[in-house]
Amino acid sequence: MKKVFTLGVPAVILIAFVIVYSWGCQADPIATEDVWNTIKADSNEGGAVVQDVAEIPLDEVYDASEMILDHATAEFFGHYAIDDSFLSWIYSNYGAATLIALAEESQKEKPDAEAWYELTGSSIHVLWLEYNQELGLRQDELALVHWKDCASEDEVVLDFTGDINFSEGWETTEYMDAQSGGIYDCFSMNLLQEMNDADILMVNNEFTYSTRGTALEGKAYTFRADPSRVSLLNVFGTDLVGIANNHMYDYGPEALVDSLDILDHAGMPHTGAGRNISQAEQPVYFIANGRKIAIIAATQIERTYNYTKEATETEPGVLKTLNAARYVAAIERVRENSDYVIAFVHWGTEGTHQYGADQVNLAKQFVAAGADVIIGGHTHCLQGIQYMDGVPIIYSLGNFWFSSETLDTGIAQVRIQEDGTIRFRFIPCLQQEYKTSLVTDATEKQRVLDFMESISTDVSYDADGYVIDMSQ
């Protein structure tokens, strides 16, 4: 449902609200009755008038506001500091009938926060951001948010890939540089189209962007790309990259910080590493079709060695989840202010299609913390899919474009429906001779889906790759 009411809050109220919030509520708070009296006076003078004011007396609107403030739960408010100023903004933008309907919902034994979305077309999390954006408040929160237009009002489509590698001297990069079409000769056009058609695309960035640093002594494979390679991400239509993996620290802290700077300068959102632990724990937020989606990355790898450093209060590094406590706490925090939380995790044992007990145990903790989807990587080969308490998990997407090896790969697709449900899909692809292609042949596509089913648990796949939870 789209917005119906577009009139703003009277200017005098907006100014007062900004002053109150800017002073940290040190000034005398604006009385709820005064707010509504001001709106009423402004309406009587021919100012901002919502469509249903003639049908619903302002006294009833005032009572509805008081009812919401007195009885709504923290969950219904999205854990935000909702007050009369926010509710007057709702009234001004969506009308009295909406506010009264919200009041009725707030009186229920278990009020459903989904009511905000059903009545306005935006969740409480999105409404809160829009309110603060209009009033010029909480700019630090807004700076972390990316607003996306979707191809359809009926769903949000997110695509996720496994490992890519633009490292200098690596075989894929050397092949790409030798082709007349460059990177366009390394992916089939229909695959590039699929990636660009997604509303949100995330790839695993398995290397650093830098010309500085020294390869870590004793590490078998170290990957570093020239900073100019960051522009290649635009060919895919990339919206964010995962940088919680075991190669972001290959050339030490200097190259890691360079990578952060290069990605920031390119306007490329990233999650999973930072200049300190606070940054490394930071998710990326997207607003799409009235929903707030958080994506947060961490790495279990390395499990034996410690080449890749975890960020500290003062030192750069990645967010680790070998010990899951910190990542679990981060998911829990993000859960409170998001409609959906997607965990992007680097884990597992290389070269095996069978996911391990360690991955399952971690997944249980992530689900309990509030993850709605778990996307795994690292193993350089595909691993299966499982539903855990209704949460879809793909344990590893493996390589996406990483070598000359002939290897099944694919895209994990998350489709968030208008009614809030999630459809999960696996789109088969093939990496072969330095080129990754969308699998279009029906027989070959079915072969990959059959293989995925054989390494998955209690799921089946339809002909289009949609995953069916058979555990219920």
Side-chain angles (χ1 to χ4, degrees), residues 7-68:
L7 298 172
V9 180
V12 64
I13 301 172
L14 288 176
I15 293 170
F17 292 162
V18 171
I19 291 172
V20 170
Y21 274 94
S22 298
W23 291 351
C25 298
Q26 296 299 312
D28 291 337
I30 302 171
T32 305
E33 186 172 1
D34 291 342
V35 170
W36 294 114
N37 286 339
T38 306
I39 292 176
K40 184 175 182 179
D42 190 70
S43 298
N44 291 337
E45 293 171 6
V49 183
V50 292
Q51 293 179 8
D52 56 5
V53 72
E55 292 80 12
I56 302 175
L58 279 173
D59 287 346
E60 291 187 26
V61 178
Y62 168 76
D63 290 342
S65 175
E66 288 292 277
M67 192 179 299
I68 294 171

Side-chain angles (χ1 to χ4, degrees), residues 281-302:
E281 291 178 343
Q282 199 64 251
V284 174
Y285 295 106
F286 291 97
I287 307 300
N289 283 356
R291 305 284 193 180
K292 186 181 181 186
I293 304 164
I295 303 175
I296 183 168
T299 179
Q300 179 205 34
I301 310 302
E302 298 97 4

Side-chain angles (χ1 to χ4, degrees), residues 11-176:
V12 64
I13 301 172
L14 288 176
I15 293 170
F17 292 162
V18 171
I19 291 172
V20 170
Y21 274 94
S22 298
W23 291 351
C25 298
Q26 296 299 312
D28 291 337
I30 302 171
T32 305
E33 186 172 1
D34 291 342
V35 170
W36 294 114
N37 286 339
T38 306
I39 292 176
K40 184 175 182 179
D42 190 70
S43 298
N44 291 337
E45 293 171 6
V49 183
V50 292
Q51 293 179 8
D52 56 5
V53 72
E55 292 80 12
I56 302 175
L58 279 173
D59 287 346
E60 291 187 26
V61 178
Y62 168 76
D63 290 342
S65 175
E66 288 292 277
M67 192 179 299
I68 294 171
L69 292 173
D70 289 344
H71 299 288
T73 63
E75 290 74 19
F76 188 70
F77 280 158
H79 300 276
Y80 301 115
I82 300 300
D83 61 8
D84 54 276
S85 63
F86 175 80
L87 295 178
S88 69
W89 180 85
I90 291 291
Y91 167 75
S92 182
N93 282 277
Y94 297 98
T98 296
L99 198 66
I100 289 172
L102 288 167
E104 292 173 352
E105 181 67 33
S106 72
Q107 304 309 297
K108 295 180 180 178
E109 183 177 352
K110 293 183 178 179
D112 187 359
E114 184 70 5
W116 298 94
Y117 178 83
E118 293 172 351
L119 291 164
T120 70
S122 295
S123 73
I124 181 61
H125 304 297
V126 176
L127 292 168
W128 179 251
L129 291 171
E130 291 176 341
Y131 163 73
N132 282 284
Q133 186 177 56
E134 187 170 320
L135 271 65
L137 306 174
R138 294 179 172 83
Q139 296 301 301
D140 55 336
E141 293 180 23
L142 291 166
L144 302 174
V145 176
H146 305 270
W147 304 76
K148 295 291 295 183
D149 292 325
C150 296
S152 170
E153 295 181 354
D154 298 331
E155 62 179 355
V156 183
V157 179
L158 303 95
D159 282 0
F160 298 85
T161 81
D163 302 344
I164 61 168
N165 194 345
F166 299 150
S167 178
E168 306 307 317
W170 189 246
E171 53 185 311
T172 47
T173 309
E174 291 186 339
Y175 175 84
M176 173 180 64

